[in-house]
Amino acid sequence: MDVPFISNWVLIRLSGFLAYFLFTFSISAGLLSRLAVFQKKRPLMNELHQTSGWAGVLTVIFHMILLWRDRFVTYTLGEIFIPFFSDHAPLASGIGTICFYLFLIVFVTSDFLMKRLGKNLWRKIHLLVIPAWIFMVLHGFLIGTDSNLPWAAFLYGGGVFLVVTIMSLRYLESYFNSLADKNDAKKTP
Ligand code: HEM
């Protein structure tokens, strides 16, 4: 499946990086939408969160089809879909497969099963997005040809910095809100 001038391997890597970008964007938008500063923009943020997440899922499916069709490093469908079953980089590939299932579960339950599952169970399942995202970073970093080069470290490090910063902001905001609630409760006779 070679496109003229672009080898299949380059496309595999590009689709991997695009999925990395889309999932990181999706998680960031989801986390930001809950911050007070974005309260008025919440519908837009939710739209961005869902659309980029689904675009990420489709991009990963493309990534996996390219791997399956590659002539140099051959992956069978079993090696792609059964974790740790592949001859090539079994650990990193297996982490990629688990990551795919986790993201798929999160987005399918959010768009099609949310009402049936109920808010509590849905929220618990939705938290799987955190291990999914960590597995994605590990997969890319471990399997990447250039992970030791500055540009790759910048891409992985940048994504991690962004998500950790937004999570910390969320934590701080809910911490200060709960302090304020406690103070209000003390003041009311
Ligand atoms: C949600 C699922 C996945 C995501 C987000 C993802 C992400 C990525 C990323 C970011 C890269 C670029 C690494 C680099 O070149 O620095 C990559 C490359 C790669 N991925 Fe995945 N991947 C996923 C699933 C899989 C699966 C299931 C397999 C195989 C079983 C796989 C095998 C590979 C291979 C062989 C490369 C090429 C590494 C290289 O030589 O540079 N990926 N992936």
Side-chain angles (χ1 to χ4, degrees), residues 6-173:
I6 305 178
S7 73
N8 198 40
W9 205 246
V10 170
L11 283 177
I12 288 169
R13 297 189 67 195
L14 282 178
S15 56
F17 278 123
L18 182 60
Y20 176 81
F21 168 77
L22 288 166
F23 284 133
T24 303
F25 184 87
S26 170
I27 288 173
S28 305
L31 287 167
L32 283 173
S33 72
R34 300 279 134 194
L35 287 178
V37 264
F38 285 103
Q39 201 172 8
K40 284 187 183 151
K41 299 262 179 234
R42 197 166 283 173
L44 171 70
M45 299 300 279
N46 280 337
E47 195 62 42
L48 289 172
H49 170 60
Q50 282 174 339
T51 310
S52 51
W54 274 113
V57 171
L58 293 179
T59 309
V60 167
I61 292 173
F62 181 58
H63 182 65
M64 288 153 92
I65 293 173
L66 290 170
L67 284 163
W68 175 49
R69 302 309 297 160
D70 194 70
R71 277 172 285 148
F72 297 103
V73 177
T74 47
Y75 276 93
T76 61
L77 285 178
E79 286 177 310
I80 292 174
F81 287 106
I82 304 171
F84 313 112
F85 198 64
S86 75
D87 283 340
H88 177 71
L91 177 68
S93 299
I95 292 174
T97 305
I98 294 175
C99 166
F100 167 68
Y101 288 133
L102 291 177
F103 274 125
L104 195 64
I105 290 170
V106 167
F107 286 100
V108 168
T109 51
S110 292
D111 269 16
F112 305 117
L113 299 171
M114 196 174 173
K115 279 195 186 133
R116 235 187 262 177
L117 292 169
K119 208 134 201 190
N120 273 346
L121 180 58
W122 168 78
R123 191 166 284 154
K124 281 181 190 145
I125 294 174
H126 208 69
L127 285 179
L128 287 176
V129 80
I130 294 170
W133 182 79
I134 294 172
F135 281 171
M136 174 179 77
V137 177
L138 279 177
H139 165 76
F141 190 74
L142 292 175
I143 211 165
T145 316
D146 297 324
S147 295
N148 54 341
L149 295 185
W151 65 264
F154 176 77
L155 281 182
Y156 291 119
V160 172
F161 178 76
L162 180 74
V163 171
V164 171
T165 306
I166 301 173
M167 277 182 167
S168 311
L169 287 176
R170 280 265 313 250
Y171 174 78
L172 284 175
E173 188 176 270

